[in-house]
Amino acid sequence: MSLSEPKSASMFFMSVILNKYTEIFAWFSLRGTISTYNPWGIPYDQSSSIYAPQLSSSLRRFINLYPLAVINGVKAAWFGWKNKITAIYGDLSYESILSSRVASIILNVPLLSSIHDDPINRLELKNYPKWIIKSYDKSLNKTLKMSKKIAVISDYMGEYYKMKYNVSTKTIFIGANVNSGVSQQGYKEKEKSKVFTIGSIGSIHCKYNWEKLAQSVKQLNNRSNHCKYKILHIGKLPKSIKDKSFITDTGYIGEEQLPFYLQKMDIGFLNWSFSSKYNVTARTSFPLKIHSYLSENIPLMALGPEGSSIVRFVNDNNCGISCTNNTVGDLREKIKLISTNKKIFNKYKNESVKLSNKYSRQSFFKEFESFIKMN
């Protein structure tokens, strides 16, 4: 990936690592940009993919994933040799599947592979030809098998790769950056309020589900006399959302501003698509917004298919409610239950406090240090 501001989930993940371990990284990007964001001052170089609009999309994609990936792997190796690197940390996606392997072989150093989203499903969602996907899957298998260690975003992704590729993985869970002002002793019953706020953060993975949420909240407001419901979204809303009378959106904000808005939320919304083409993504990917919610001990509300990572996480940890039917009525009743039943709300809140301690940012750093340790 290009070295850029931490606006995407992957770059946010890396920014947390770079802020802590600046001195051990040199960065070679396969996706170069005109302007580089590098406040860490780490050694940096970049290459780029070809655009060549005169070529067919299939040929252009093949060139980027194979011949050009090998060339960029050689360039990355030269960059690594100049900076005396002792290991390759490869963020596996698109051409880096091959480039990281090539650089590791040339330099004869260990390859530490990291996966945030399933590389194969990424190609499928972008409608790559089946013959490219089949070949790419074999290439991914080779890279995984030669990797010294493999980091995944969740245990659920680890299960999937163990089953599909028979490789062992380590979950690097970024952890809750707990606000020092948040009580870690357990939940004290929230102050009585006439407003119940549903939180939403960052990318809206499925607009259809998010619109279901908006419709559910609108119906609750029309039916409720004692309580009003609102949605607070940290980020930008899709243009398809027309009625914003009960929705507040902040636009892009920095991490230092997050606590102010998170503390206004009663529950944090997660969602994955119910469409079969997103099945692998829903099973394996793990939204980083979970860590933001946990940093303020916010119970979770997961809307997604059975077996999806978010539904499993909420159910496995008993830290909120899950809804596996994408209907307005079912979602509305789930929201009504947690907002009106104090015993249930307090139970989920208490569990979120325990989770924020279990999956803390300090635990993440310990896991990462263990991952990059060679002996």
Side-chain angles (χ1 to χ4, degrees), residues 52 80 138 179 241 258 270 272 281 306 308 313-314 319:
K138 292 179 180 178
N179 180 3
I241 304 296
L258 269 177
L270 306 166
W272 281 129
T281 294
E306 290 278 4
S308 62
F313 183 82
V314 168
C319 59

Side-chain angles (χ1 to χ4, degrees), residues 315-331:
N315 292 343
D316 289 349
N317 293 286
N318 199 28
C319 59
I321 57 174
S322 62
C323 184
T324 55
N325 293 316
N326 60 338
T327 63
V328 173
D330 285 346
L331 185 58

Side-chain angles (χ1 to χ4, degrees), residues 111-126:
L111 173 60
L112 306 175
S113 294
S114 176
I115 306 174
H116 292 167
D117 295 296
D118 181 65
I120 303 301
N121 197 227
R122 278 186 166 190
L123 299 195
E124 292 172 339
L125 294 176
K126 288 185 175 294

